[in-house]
Amino acid sequence: MTFTVLVPDDLGVRVLSDVEGVRAVKYEVGAPLPPEAAHAEVLVPKFLQSTDPAEFFARLPRLRLVQLLSAGAERFIGTLPDGVVLSTCRGAHGGSTAEWAIGALLAIYRDFPVFERARRERRWDYHVTDTLQGKQVLVVGAGDLGEQFRRRAEPFDASVTLVGRTARDGVHGVDELPELLPRFDAVLVVVPLTDETTGMVDAKFLAAMKDGAILVNAARGPVVDTDALVAELSSGRLRAALDVTEPEPLPADHPLWTVPGLFLTPHVAGSCTGHAERAYAVVASEVARFARGEEPRNLVRGAY
């Protein structure tokens, strides 16, 4: 038996054509779907695709699986027709995003932006900086990305503590955050965007962080209350590194452009060389399991 899988690019066709029992067919975003769509049982949406997913579903009568190229699934949860399951690309982008978080912390602690400004102004601004060594980092989100960050941070002699939805061996529960937050030098947020996590990092959360601590958001913009964060940064009590914002992209007059103590990048933590190949390696594995009649490993249940 052969499964038809709709993919948005030539790389997807090449990779999935090597999967036994799979016929990969390319579709163009914004164009009519190919005739094979009538038989397609798997859809791989384009990465960060902006089109309303319901537009696809109405034209895919045999659809059974939506396999994402991203780890985030918030745009698709609650939108799938009955009988269609959803699988994420967890495991593809965690390493790259963890690398960004390490780089962001190093940039802040070692004053790289400060030295770059001095270089442009032709000033020899010698001064002693802070260091990541010896820092205590709290990671809110104990999935693949949290583990990837811990593996990269510990060789820098930083210590990492993980927080998950519920406590388990080696992981604190989210209910422990009020007691944990005041103890840590940096807090990395890598949770999925759900009803539970929207606005999680609010004024109370930020107020509980120790003076001088760094908030790092590599999750989604709405996880953080932007106004509350701007207030803390403006006071100089906290610093932050953001790869995601709310809204996104930022309008030209938004205070995050000029607020002090902020390292900001435009949602690029996972966007680096090889990201598509890494994503399709996970997709191929998930689709192969589905073709064999097995459940995908990254199957979404409820809100994750």
Side-chain angles (χ1 to χ4, degrees), residues 10-25:
D10 293 329
L11 177 60
V13 172
R14 291 198 302 272
V15 173
L16 290 177
S17 292
D18 292 334
V19 178
E20 185 177 356
V22 167
R23 176 177 61 168
V25 177

Side-chain angles (χ1 to χ4, degrees), residues 9-131:
D9 49 46
D10 293 329
L11 177 60
V13 172
R14 291 198 302 272
V15 173
L16 290 177
S17 292
D18 292 334
V19 178
E20 185 177 356
V22 167
R23 176 177 61 168
V25 177
K26 181 181 175 182
Y27 71 93
E28 299 285 347
V29 176
L33 290 175
E36 293 90 344
H39 306 285
E41 297 187 54
V42 181
L43 169 69
V44 180
K46 185 176 177 63
F47 185 62
L48 297 179
Q49 181 174 313
S50 60
T51 307
D52 182 352
E55 294 182 10
F56 284 99
F57 304 150
R59 292 175 282 164
L60 300 173
R62 297 186 61 183
L63 184 64
R64 296 172 54 204
L65 168 67
V66 174
Q67 172 59 55
L68 302 181
L69 288 164
S70 63
E74 65 274 3
R75 288 186 58 253
F76 293 89
I77 292 174
T79 70
L80 277 65
D82 290 342
V84 178
V85 296
L86 178 66
S87 178
T88 73
C89 208
R90 184 180 67 235
H93 310 295
S96 302
T97 304
E99 181 182 79
W100 173 88
I102 292 290
L105 286 171
L106 287 172
I108 293 172
Y109 282 132
R110 299 309 304 267
D111 278 353
F112 290 161
V114 174
F115 289 128
E116 173 58 16
R117 284 195 296 272
R119 183 196 66 81
R120 292 198 303 267
E121 297 167 3
R122 303 188 183 192
R123 290 186 295 106
W124 191 257
D125 183 19
Y126 173 84
H127 62 270
V128 175
T129 71
D130 204 343
T131 176

Side-chain angles (χ1 to χ4, degrees), residues 150-237:
R150 176 161 63 180
R151 187 163 64 85
R152 287 161 174 77
E154 289 177 345
F156 283 90
D157 294 328
S159 64
V160 176
T161 299
L162 298 179
V163 174
R165 181 183 295 178
T166 56
R168 56 186 185 271
D169 187 28
V171 177
H172 292 269
V174 69
D175 59 310
E176 300 176 65
L177 278 174
E179 293 75 36
L180 291 169
L181 288 169
R183 296 164 32 195
F184 288 84
D185 303 296
V187 178
L188 169 62
V189 182
V190 289
V191 294
L193 180 62
T194 67
D195 290 342
E196 292 179 358
T197 63
T198 298
M200 167 189 279
V201 183
D202 56 11
K204 184 177 180 181
F205 183 111
L206 295 169
M209 292 173 61
K210 68 189 294 186
D211 290 352
I214 300 172
L215 174 75
V216 183
N217 187 9
R220 290 291 187 266
V223 171
V224 174
D225 181 330
T226 301
D227 292 340
L229 178 60
V230 167
E232 288 284 8
L233 296 176
S234 297
S235 75
R237 195 183 73 83

